[in-house]
Amino acid sequence: MTYNLKYFGIPALGEPVRLLLHIGKYRWEDQIVTRDTWPSLKRASKWGFLPVLTTPEGREMTQSKAICRYLAKTVCISGFVLYPECPLLAFAVDEFIDVFEDIRMKVQPTMQIPDQQEKEEARAGMFGVSGECTELLMKIEAECGEEHMIGDRVTLCDLWAFYFLNLLRCSVFEGVPRDYLLAYPKLAQNVTTFGSLPAVREYYSERAEQNPMYALFVTAAPASD
Ligand SMILES: N[C@@H](CCC(=O)N[C@@H](CS)C(=O)NCC(=O)O)C(=O)O
């Protein structure tokens, strides 16, 4: 009884799904889709996008946020279900995730810029002083908690922040300053707090050995380890 996740070999929209499957101790297969295999899969897929998660019963699930909410209703950390039952708390989780998605939608189109230098400059501008991503990140920084995105408990939003803020500084979006998080101490702390969870640290230590793209996802072990 195994889940199958089809996604590209990068830590983008399929990454929070991977993390939930790992933390939830599901049996799952990480099927990496390549440039060669994608065109035929795309034609056969429901909307023409990845990730696609196939349940052990054979149901194909699409749309990363819908998949994450589905899984997060059954995954617990420190006794908390990651997608809260309380409607207001669930709303707060979704609201933060959607604003991170607003940032991603600003950066994503830069993938189409053919010239590498122009592409990197466009991204650097978005994350520079008064850049459009900087403005949103500053607003998120003002709204989020010190250790957790929301209140004093871990939620799906912490997992999403961890994935997305690391995606921005890994090599997928070259040009975004690798140290951009220094300007957002609360967000940086949230990334460290989530990344320090044993299940998360263990997962990325292993992945980083296979793929250097994951190096920045590895949080240093606390001194007591
Ligand atoms: N709304 C979809 C968007 C998925 C999406 O944009 N996937 C990209 C990869 S991150 C993709 O499949 N790109 C390949 C293509 O468009 O052919 C979701 O959240 O799952």
Side-chain angles (χ1 to χ4, degrees):
M1 297 292 273
T2 302
Y3 280 88
N4 169 280
L5 177 69
K6 291 183 190 63
Y7 193 61
F8 304 108
I10 54 168
L13 285 176
E15 196 61 24
V17 183
R18 288 184 177 124
L19 207 38
L20 283 164
L21 289 165
H22 172 74
I23 296 170
K25 296 189 166 64
Y26 285 97
R27 290 183 63 182
W28 63 289
E29 179 194 9
D30 192 9
Q31 185 180 337
I32 303 294
V33 176
T34 62
R35 271 177 208 219
D36 294 341
T37 52
W38 175 229
S40 58
L41 274 175
K42 184 175 172 85
R43 278 191 295 278
S45 69
K46 194 170 185 179
W47 314 114
F49 298 114
L50 293 178
V52 174
L53 180 69
T54 308
T55 68
E57 295 75 30
R59 167 144 193 176
E60 286 206 343
M61 296 180 156
T62 66
Q63 296 297 339
S64 56
K65 294 193 290 296
I67 297 171
C68 283
R69 284 192 290 266
Y70 167 77
L71 290 173
K73 285 173 187 161
T74 62
V75 174
C76 289
I77 294 179
S78 310
F80 291 113
V81 177
L82 289 186
Y83 195 69
E85 279 181 26
C86 163
L88 266 181
L89 208 46
F91 165 78
V93 168
D94 288 336
E95 189 183 35
F96 266 135
I97 291 176
D98 284 348
V99 73
F100 282 127
E101 278 289 90
D102 289 344
I103 297 176
R104 192 180 64 82
M105 294 316 290
K106 290 180 185 299
V107 190
Q108 189 66 28
T110 60
M111 288 286 188
Q112 308 306 325
I113 301 175
D115 181 76
Q116 183 65 21
Q117 192 181 339
E118 205 182 305
K119 186 182 340 229
E120 292 186 20
E121 281 171 7
R123 291 170 184 162
M126 287 178 180
F127 286 83
V129 178
S130 308
E132 46 188 330
C133 295
T134 300
E135 285 183 2
L136 276 176
L137 284 168
M138 283 170 67
K139 288 180 181 170
I140 301 173
E141 172 77 5
E143 291 282 324
C144 73
E146 305 268 345
E147 287 280 330
H148 297 292
M149 291 300 293
I150 300 159
D152 56 2
R153 57 163 285 181
V154 63
T155 66
L156 175 61
C157 186
D158 295 290
L159 182 147
W160 196 279
F162 174 83
Y163 128 72
F164 181 65
L165 296 171
N166 277 324
L167 168 68
L168 287 176
R169 59 184 180 162
C170 84
S171 53
V172 170
F173 292 115
E174 283 171 321
V176 176
R178 286 205 157 204
D179 63 354
Y180 81 94
L181 261 184
L182 290 176
Y184 312 100
K186 287 198 284 177
L187 287 175
Q189 183 55 52
N190 280 322
V191 168
T192 303
T193 303
F194 192 83
S196 302
L197 292 167
V200 179
R201 199 141 47 80
E202 162 205 310
Y203 181 67
Y204 284 108
S205 304
E206 208 172 293
R207 283 198 90 98
E209 276 178 24
Q210 298 149 6
N211 184 345
M213 201 181 275
Y214 283 98
L216 280 166
F217 284 69
V218 184
T219 304
S224 57
D225 266 26

